[in-house]
Amino acid sequence: MKVAIVANKLAKTQVIKQTLLQKLRDNGIGVDDQYPDIVISIGGDGTLLSAFHDYQDQVDRIRFIGVHTGHLGFYTDWQANELDDLVVSLLSDNDQAVTYPLLEVKVQFADTAKCREYLALNESALKKLSATLVTDVYIGGEFFERFRGDGLCVSTPTGSTAYNKSLGGAVVHPDLDVMQVAEISSLNNLVFRTLGSPMIISPNDTVKFIPEQETEFLLTVDAMTLPQKKIAQISYRVSKHRIRFAKYRHNDFWDRVQESFIGSKR
Ligand code: NAP
């Protein structure tokens, strides 16, 4: 078993990283930043997102573990004071994993024949810097609506508690192999019409955006903002790849939602 550690730059996190490295050494667990079996992120959900992108080309093999240094996160379920338990779990690891859906993002640029593919763990959003975004939306190959507004966000189930939730999207249990489309400030009046509700899309369907003007758009994939380019179309579908977490103990999804957003139990 070889592990890699991805940590944010905060001094407190760096101390936790050094403590964990020492405990790994003491227990004969090797560190390999290039080809690890397990990637341990130390920080918040944002740190786990960067760890995922650092190792996304090995996503089918690697498992992730999230240690949080502040509040409980959606991808980070170990606390910094549980490092001894974490090392014991690593020592008795038998490849147990829980997997969650990812989003495939395929971008066709207007000025080249090139197509680029990305994987999102949380979401991908299409926006325009100024003026209204106008884009045709296709679901399963069929025209669905012409969207006018600030943008559209397509999220995974684990990403449903992030940007999607701020947009009024539904929180989706990550056992469901689906993606969700949420509107960002759509224009709805007597002339322009969109559905106005978030949509949960089946794993068999592709969602395609064909923007009206070939102007420059802002396209995000998780924390990344892709360089502004003229985009001819973007298609989204539930990826055949999944993210794998080392599953050493049970964490109930709805408990985590309750703790993160509601807080107090009766
Ligand atoms: P950031 O602005 O530093 O952090 C955004 C916040 O989102 C952090 O509090 C982060 O938690 C939290 N978060 C990330 N993934 C989450 C998830 N799956 N469920 C619940 N909360 C989650 O940005 P960042 O660290 O680079 O992360 C990029 C993410 O920020 C994007 O993927 C997007 O989802 C989110 N975002 C949200 C909004 C919004 O809600 N209006 C706008 C833009 C982007 P931690 O503190 O634990 O890291």
Side-chain angles (χ1 to χ4, degrees):
M1 142 102 59
K2 288 164 295 167
V3 305
I5 299 180
V6 175
N8 68 29
K9 299 226 162 7
L10 294 177
K12 153 173 114 170
T13 310
Q14 290 300 318
V15 172
I16 297 166
K17 178 181 171 180
Q18 292 311 321
T19 309
L20 179 58
L21 279 170
Q22 187 58 52
K23 288 181 190 294
L24 294 174
R25 271 194 295 271
D26 293 348
N27 287 278
I29 300 173
V31 173
D32 182 342
D33 289 336
Q34 253 191 318
Y35 300 109
D37 302 301
I38 290 185
V39 174
I40 302 176
S41 98
I42 309 177
D45 284 333
T47 316
L48 193 292
L49 275 182
S50 9
F52 164 73
H53 286 286
D54 288 350
Y55 289 95
Q56 70 175 59
D57 52 336
Q58 300 181 59
V59 74
D60 294 328
R61 259 199 344 94
I62 280 180
R63 287 174 295 152
F64 290 86
I65 290 174
V67 176
H68 63 87
T69 50
H71 57 93
L72 175 78
F74 279 85
Y75 299 117
T76 56
D77 42 21
W78 288 85
Q79 298 180 35
N81 61 11
E82 295 178 308
L83 296 184
D84 287 327
D85 290 349
L86 177 54
V87 171
V88 169
S89 298
L90 288 170
L91 288 169
S92 52
D93 178 78
N94 59 9
D95 212 30
Q96 58 269 58
V98 59
T99 72
Y100 299 132
L102 293 167
L103 180 69
E104 179 191 287
V105 185
K106 238 184 221 174
V107 187
Q108 173 87 60
F109 296 102
D111 37 11
T112 62
K114 275 202 193 128
C115 204
R116 284 212 60 183
E117 273 190 48
Y118 304 90
L119 269 186
L121 174 55
N122 268 354
E123 78 285 292
S124 167
L126 178 68
K127 303 180 199 178
K128 229 178 129 191
L129 277 183
S130 59
T132 308
L133 169 76
V134 182
T135 183
D136 287 341
V137 177
Y138 290 78
I139 302 177
E142 297 291 325
F143 175 77
F144 182 73
E145 66 181 12
R146 170 159 284 201
F147 175 90
R148 288 178 179 81
D150 283 358
L152 286 159
C153 169
V154 186
S155 59
T156 63
T158 53
S160 69
T161 47
Y163 190 22
N164 167 75
K165 186 172 179 299
S166 306
L167 300 171
V171 171
V172 177
H173 195 290
D175 280 355
L176 298 175
D177 208 15
V178 294
M179 59 184 169
Q180 177 168 192
V181 180
E183 299 182 344
I184 310 172
S185 300
S186 59
L187 249 166
N188 267 294
N189 53 35
L190 288 177
V191 184
F192 303 130
R193 186 90 60 244
T194 66
L195 182 66
S197 312
M199 292 181 280
I200 308 287
I201 309 288
S202 122
N204 304 318
D205 281 334
T206 299
V207 167
K208 193 158 63 183
F209 300 154
I210 304 188
E212 191 192 37
Q213 329 87 328
E214 288 181 359
T215 52
E216 301 207 325
F217 298 95
L218 211 61
L219 181 69
T220 68
V221 175
D222 296 334
M224 279 180 296
T225 300
L226 306 181
Q228 283 173 48
K229 286 264 169 61
K230 293 185 177 174
I231 291 171
Q233 66 172 60
I234 307 175
S235 52
Y236 294 101
R237 65 181 180 130
V238 176
S239 172
K240 60 179 188 301
H241 304 287
R242 294 172 70 88
I243 185 168
R244 304 167 72 228
F245 284 86
K247 170 108 178 138
Y248 297 134
R249 53 192 188 185
H250 176 71
N251 284 299
D252 183 74
F253 176 73
W254 294 114
D255 275 351
R256 195 172 305 191
V257 172
Q258 206 278 347
E259 275 178 52
S260 298
F261 295 112
I262 314 286
S264 58
K265 294 241 186 209
R266 259 192 288 173

